[in-house]
Every structure is written in C-alpha cells, then in structure tokens.
C-alpha cells in the first residue's frame, strides 16, 4: 500500500537498502510512486528500485527474491455493497472480503493483515521481519493474537496515535461491524490522546502499551457513538506498528 511512495523514500533514508520494491493494488499508483521516488533519490545512490501492482503479496511473488524487511499499511473495513474497489480512494480504507480467515480475526477487522502475513512467508528471509501499521481501534491483545495465529512471533515496535481522517466515510464501516459482532471499535478525543502520549516517544509508548490502553479506556468513544459527532470535538485513535518474525 505504498500510495505516493513516501514510505519508500523513508526506507531509503533510514536503511540504505540495496534493493527496494514498491507495491500497491493499482498500477497507476505504483507507476506514480516509482516516479516520485526516482525523482527524489540522492544523486549517485546505488539502488535497485522497482514497483509492482497486485493483491497483497502477489507483486512480491513476481519479484523473484526474498526481502529482509517488508512494511504493510493495509485497510481494515470490508467494502460496503455497491462500492467498487477501484472507485476513487476506496481501496485506501476498504477491502473486499476474504475467505479462510479465522472468525475472530475477521470480527476484529484484521483480515488483510492476517492474510498478508500468511501470504508473505515465502518472500521473507529467514531472519527478516514484517512491519504492520494498524489502526488500534481494538485492544492490542487482539492485534498481537492475529499475528500469532498467522504463525509469527510479534511485539509492538511503535505505539502512537493519529487524527481520524475522513470520519464520515470511515466510522460507519466500524459501526456496522460493531452492530454485527458486539465488538467495540474505539476512538478518543484528540486532546486526551495528546496528553496521554505527550511524555513518551513512540518506542517508549510501545513498551508501556498495555498501561496506556488502561489510561485511555475511560475516554473511549465507540464507533456507534462516534457516528453522532459533528466534528466539534476532533477524534483520533491509537496506532501500533507490529514487528513480526518467524516463530
């Protein structure tokens, strides 16, 4: 889900890789991202960079190599009836339903993250890692359990928060799932998130994630409740980046 390719540029700056592969669902997106990345590389940088479009790990299969680090930032909400996956920015928030996903994983709206971990195994080096950026609207215990069910040992590497963008588009999808399963998908007032996370770096917060969840719990606003918000009180949610490695 590389989008504009900024995450790829960040990987180049941080890791100085010898090879970089960008992937996204749509060919026009990967073409744009590849152009953005190439135009912004430092002169003289020796980097094998390519891009491929396809579903989940399909582009990695075509690359013909194994990777030391794979980063994914996949959508969580099942596609509503009547919406096409190619319509506008639909695929940045929604996905088509998957079969063969454990019911608990599907109920927690973690299907794509689970399926990606299952699919990516042949393309990850023995000591490699997958980084999964996940909006933590469900408890962290449910998210780590998903990765373990996919056959990985995992830990929160980063714990932080973000403002919920496109509130009117996104919240109804979580509310539908909340009504269907009884699982609460939680948001928080932005001023609460700012205060709770203020004294921690994202990695420090990851080490204290369970305690932070306990502090946030009294301020939780379920997705059903969030549907009634008019934007006067900005809402956000926590975000976890999981590091998953072979068990």
């Amino acid at each position: 889900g590389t989008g504009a390719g900024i995450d790829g540029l960040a990987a180049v700056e941080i890791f100085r890789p010898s090879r970089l592969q960008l992937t996204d669902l749509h060919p026009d997106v990967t073409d744009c991202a590849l152009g953005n990345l190439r135009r912004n590389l430092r002169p003289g940088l020796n980097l094998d960079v390519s891009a491929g479009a396809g579903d989940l790990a399909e582009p990695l299969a075509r690359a013909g190599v194994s990777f030391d680090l794979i980063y994914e930032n996949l959508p969580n909400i099942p596609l509503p009836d009547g919406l096409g996956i190619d319509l506008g920015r639909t695929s940045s928030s929604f996905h088509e339903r998957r079969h063969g996903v454990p019911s608990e994983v599907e109920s927690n709206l973690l299907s794509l993250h689970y399926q990606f971990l299952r699919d990516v195994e042949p393309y990850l080096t023995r000591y490699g890692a997958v980084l999964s950026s996940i909006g933590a609207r469900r408890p962290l215990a449910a998210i780590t359990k998903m990765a373990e069910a996919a056959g990985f040992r995992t830990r929160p590497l980063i714990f932080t928060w973000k403002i919920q963008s496109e509130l009117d588009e996104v919240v109804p999808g979580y509310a539908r799932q909340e009504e269907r399963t009884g699982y609460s998908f939680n948001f928080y007032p932005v001023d609460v998130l700012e205060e709770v996370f203020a004294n921690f770096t994202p990695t420090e917060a990851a080490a204290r994630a369970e305690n932070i969840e306990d502090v946030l719990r009294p301020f939780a606003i379920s997705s059903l409740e969030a549907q009634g918000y008019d934007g006067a009180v900005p809402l956000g949610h926590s975000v976890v980046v999981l590091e998953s490695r072979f068990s």
Side-chain angles (χ1 to χ4, degrees):
T2 193
I6 294 172
D7 48 6
L9 281 168
V12 173
E13 290 291 323
I14 295 168
F15 297 114
R16 298 291 196 271
S18 59
R19 178 181 172 85
L20 181 71
Q21 169 95 2
L22 304 177
T23 75
D24 205 283
L25 185 61
H26 309 294
D28 55 339
V29 173
T30 52
D31 290 346
C32 179
L34 186 59
N36 287 343
L37 188 137
R38 285 175 169 163
R39 283 190 296 273
N40 286 280
L41 290 177
R42 298 178 187 274
L45 187 66
N46 184 21
L47 173 66
D48 179 4
V49 58
S50 58
D55 183 58
L56 299 182
E58 285 178 357
L60 303 182
R62 295 194 298 269
V65 297
S66 296
F67 295 88
D68 297 302
L69 186 67
I70 300 174
Y71 169 75
E72 61 92 349
N73 179 18
L74 292 164
N76 297 326
I77 309 173
L79 190 69
D81 293 338
L83 272 185
I85 200 69
D86 293 319
L87 180 65
R89 297 180 66 246
T90 301
S91 63
S92 65
S93 297
F94 301 95
H95 67 84
E96 295 173 315
R97 289 187 182 274
R98 304 290 159 139
H99 300 287
V101 175
S103 59
E104 185 75 4
V105 172
E106 196 279 329
S107 294
N108 283 299
L109 291 185
L110 299 169
S111 297
L112 282 199
H113 304 288
Y114 171 86
Q115 192 64 58
F116 184 78
L117 286 173
R118 296 285 293 176
D119 291 353
V120 82
E121 184 174 343
Y123 319 115
L124 188 67
T125 57
R126 181 180 179 187
Y127 298 106
V130 179
L131 302 184
S132 300
S133 180
I134 303 174
R137 301 171 186 88
R138 292 285 298 145
L140 278 177
I143 297 173
T144 56
K145 186 177 178 181
M146 172 277 300
E148 291 164 359
F152 287 77
R153 55 185 172 87
T154 191
R155 67 183 179 112
L157 186 66
I158 286 173
F159 194 45
T160 184
W161 68 276
K162 70 181 288 290
I163 293 175
Q164 178 60 66
S165 59
E166 302 170 328
L167 196 70
D168 292 342
E169 296 179 25
V170 170
V171 168
Y174 289 105
R176 284 192 298 271
Q177 187 76 352
E178 192 167 318
E179 286 182 320
R180 191 176 73 83
T181 64
Y183 286 16
S184 181
F185 294 86
N186 292 327
F187 302 83
Y188 308 93
V190 164
D191 59 350
V192 171
L193 291 165
E194 287 179 331
E195 182 177 351
V196 171
F197 282 91
N199 296 320
F200 305 113
T201 67
T203 49
E204 289 170 344
R208 298 169 171 82
E210 290 184 5
N211 291 337
I212 291 174
E213 282 192 327
D214 289 340
V215 173
L216 287 173
R217 191 168 292 115
F219 303 97
I221 299 164
S222 74
S223 55
L224 287 171
E225 296 169 324
Q227 288 188 113
Y229 274 65
D230 58 5
V233 178
L235 298 181
H237 60 84
S238 53
V239 177
V240 64
V241 176
L242 285 188
E243 179 192 71
S244 299
R245 297 178 182 270
F246 290 129
S247 295

